[in-house]
Amino acid sequence: MTDGVSASLRLLGLTGSLRARSINTELLRAASVLLPPGAHLTMYDGLGALPHFNPDLDVEGATPPETVAALRAAVREADALLVSSPEYAHGVAGSFKNLLDWLVSGPEMLGKPVCILSASSSATFAPAALVETLRTMSGTVVSGAAITVPVNGRRLDAAAIAAEPDLAAVLRHALALVAGSVSAPQT
């Protein structure tokens, strides 16, 4: 153990954006630079390859599409999730909601600690919707780790976000809370 963090703390980054230069993806990449010692972040990159959610493909005993099986395996193997998604029309991006829908019926989310990062202080509906959806899915949104990292349209990449002291401090605090939730069960 290092500072209460297991040497094998596995975090999975889930971005809700398909854009190549998404500020939400850059926020997750910045988090990977600021992780507590002993933690490792893997970015999930299959969002655009997921089929539209279809309950007929997700019935008990059915073999899910390969991309869905890979998503579920990545979530199952992670100790905690870092989520960052844009807000579109006062809601969660449709492609990201589709990803979440594929996780609803499985056990992968049960009690899984989750950190929600928002890149814009003007996004208020999507983060609240994500909290509600993830709690409904039996994920554990870590207290104090559903945060806004106010990059607000500035064209910063991961290195610039991590190098900005105020932004880095907010991210480090949320990451420490998530790491602590994994090493010490939530009550």
Side-chain angles (χ1 to χ4, degrees), residues 27-171:
L27 196 54
L28 291 170
R29 289 179 180 143
S32 73
V33 174
L34 302 169
L35 291 172
H40 175 75
L41 176 67
T42 300
M43 294 290 292
Y44 173 75
D45 64 0
L47 180 65
L50 290 171
H52 294 293
F53 177 69
N54 180 346
D56 289 341
L57 299 175
D58 203 31
V59 294
E60 188 173 335
T63 300
E66 187 176 310
T67 54
V68 172
L71 166 66
R72 289 176 174 168
V75 171
R76 182 177 47 257
E77 292 167 9
D79 297 314
L81 306 177
L82 303 182
V83 171
S84 186
S85 181
E87 178 172 296
Y88 293 130
H90 287 183
V92 175
S95 55
F96 193 67
K97 180 61 170 76
N98 183 60
L99 176 149
L100 295 175
D101 288 343
W102 279 112
L103 295 171
V104 167
S105 65
E108 297 83 12
M109 287 295 298
L110 296 175
K112 186 80 60 178
V114 181
C115 171
I116 299 173
L117 306 173
S118 177
S120 174
S121 58
S122 64
T124 57
F125 295 95
L130 274 172
V131 168
E132 178 62 25
T133 300
L134 290 164
R135 285 185 177 153
T136 299
M137 295 169 62
S138 299
T140 302
V141 178
V142 177
S143 180
I147 61 164
T148 297
V149 182
V151 291
N152 290 353
R154 295 168 22 190
R155 295 278 186 213
L156 302 176
D157 65 7
I161 294 168
E164 184 136 345
D166 292 345
L167 300 178
V170 171
L171 272 172

